[in-house]
Amino acid sequence: MNKKNIADQAGFVYSTDPNFQFKRSEDEALVTLEPAKQNLVIQLDKKQRGGKTVTLITGFVGTENDLELLAKQLKNFCGTGGSAKDGEAIVQGDQRDKVLLWLQKNGYIKSKKK
């Protein structure tokens, strides 16, 4: 892919100006909120997953590495697989009760189940 065609965070994909440059701001590093201030929502999801049930944890504010760490800890606690993508932690199966228990035990007091 040509370097000109790489999309930036603001959604720009193409410009007709040959001198146009995407302005990437390195200064705006996302800061992870402390657990007590995170408003996490735990929900069950089956859409676009071939009929498989997963537990989604959404609403995480922070870096991608911190989200991956949270997802890894939740997967270890539940004893299942999963991943962290697009600002969501995904745990395989219906693990809503276990996830809520772990989150509240580890300081995520504003977490709620849908």
Side-chain angles (χ1 to χ4, degrees):
M1 180 180 255
N2 191 343
K3 199 171 191 178
K4 287 183 185 178
N5 295 333
I6 298 173
D8 72 342
Q9 296 296 330
F12 292 109
V13 178
Y14 179 77
S15 174
T16 56
D17 182 6
N19 297 323
F20 181 77
Q21 293 290 323
F22 292 124
K23 294 179 182 173
R24 292 184 174 94
S25 57
E26 302 293 329
D27 304 339
E28 297 179 22
L30 193 59
V31 178
T32 303
L33 291 177
E34 60 187 59
K37 293 183 180 179
Q38 295 276 4
N39 291 323
L40 299 179
V41 178
I42 305 161
Q43 55 193 1
L44 198 61
D45 187 35
K46 286 186 182 181
K47 296 177 184 169
Q48 303 293 324
R49 305 190 193 284
K52 306 282 189 214
T53 303
V54 296
T55 303
L56 283 180
I57 299 92
T58 57
F60 185 81
V61 178
T63 63
E64 194 69 29
N65 290 337
D66 290 336
L67 177 63
E68 289 175 8
L69 178 64
L70 175 66
K72 181 178 180 180
Q73 292 171 338
L74 288 170
K75 293 185 303 181
N76 285 340
F77 180 75
C78 295
T80 63
S83 65
K85 295 188 220 176
D86 303 326
E88 299 175 333
I90 301 169
V91 179
Q92 292 176 351
D94 185 2
Q95 306 290 336
R96 291 176 292 178
D97 295 328
K98 283 185 179 182
V99 168
L100 182 62
L101 176 69
W102 187 91
L103 289 172
Q104 289 179 343
K105 188 169 82 171
N106 287 287
Y108 294 88
I109 55 174
K110 292 186 177 180
S111 301
K112 61 184 172 186
K113 204 169 54 162
K114 266 192 169 181

